[in-house]
Amino acid sequence: MNVVHALDALLRSDDEEYDRLDLFLEADELIGQLQLADVPALLALWRVRKLSWQQRFTQAGSNIDGAVLRALLAGLLQVKETPHGVLELMSRLPPVADASPLSDALLAYAEQAWHADPARHRQIQISCWSCGLSGRLLKRLGLSSWKEAGL
């Protein structure tokens, strides 16, 4: 069984089994084994799996390879109704943003999410701060500080 299929089966485990057997650790290990070539299959699964599957992936993904993470985020941003995961996975990026198209796309996504969902302002702030986009988001929002934003 390849890594993507094994990971899919693991993330679809029933709640009791997943928790009782600490499958979180095994999921983290499998996520760390993902390669760039696995991203299209992973994105296809992301679109059809339940929110609980996506949440398990984002919670267990601490060992994800940087190139795989960037490719996954770029793919998720292409989904019309962006599913769960973009803000959660942003925190796995290095703490210094670059001038890449991905950083620009994540910044645009964060700005759109900021305006669309005030209840997620804190999560957006934390996600942007953790990957170095905080200052750039403040500038795009026309704010001088997070305190000014009410956070």
Side-chain angles (χ1 to χ4, degrees):
M1 183 182 305
N2 75 26
V3 174
V4 174
H5 291 342
L7 180 61
D8 181 40
L10 190 68
L11 295 177
R12 286 186 294 125
S13 301
D14 102 331
D15 289 342
E16 184 178 323
E17 179 179 303
Y18 190 82
D19 294 337
R20 182 174 49 83
L21 298 175
D22 284 332
L23 297 179
F24 169 90
L25 299 171
E26 189 175 337
D28 186 39
E29 184 179 314
L30 288 171
I31 290 168
Q33 295 175 27
L34 291 170
Q35 303 287 319
L36 274 176
D38 297 322
V39 173
L42 189 58
L43 285 167
L45 287 171
W46 205 282
R47 289 181 178 108
V48 298
R49 294 295 180 241
K50 294 179 181 179
L51 178 60
S52 62
W53 187 97
Q54 297 167 356
Q55 289 171 328
R56 285 177 178 177
F57 184 96
T58 59
Q59 291 165 356
S62 67
N63 285 321
I64 192 167
D65 175 76
V68 171
L69 174 60
R70 288 186 293 280
L72 178 59
L73 280 166
L76 288 175
L77 289 170
Q78 300 303 312
V79 177
K80 225 173 205 188
E81 290 183 23
T82 306
H84 171 84
V86 173
L87 292 172
E88 294 77 9
L89 290 171
M90 283 172 66
S91 66
R92 306 279 188 216
L93 289 168
V96 178
D98 56 17
S100 70
L102 176 60
S103 288
D104 292 339
L106 290 170
L107 190 59
Y109 174 83
E111 180 183 20
Q112 180 183 10
W114 181 271
H115 294 297
D117 191 356
R120 295 181 76 192
H121 282 181
R122 174 68 68 195
Q123 182 183 17
I124 294 164
Q125 176 207 19
I126 292 169
S127 295
C128 287
W129 177 81
S130 67
C131 69
L133 291 173
S134 181
R136 289 167 58 184
L137 179 61
L138 281 171
K139 187 174 181 179
R140 282 181 81 151
L141 295 172
L143 301 169
S144 60
S145 69
W146 289 112
K147 185 175 183 179
E148 183 183 339
L151 299 175

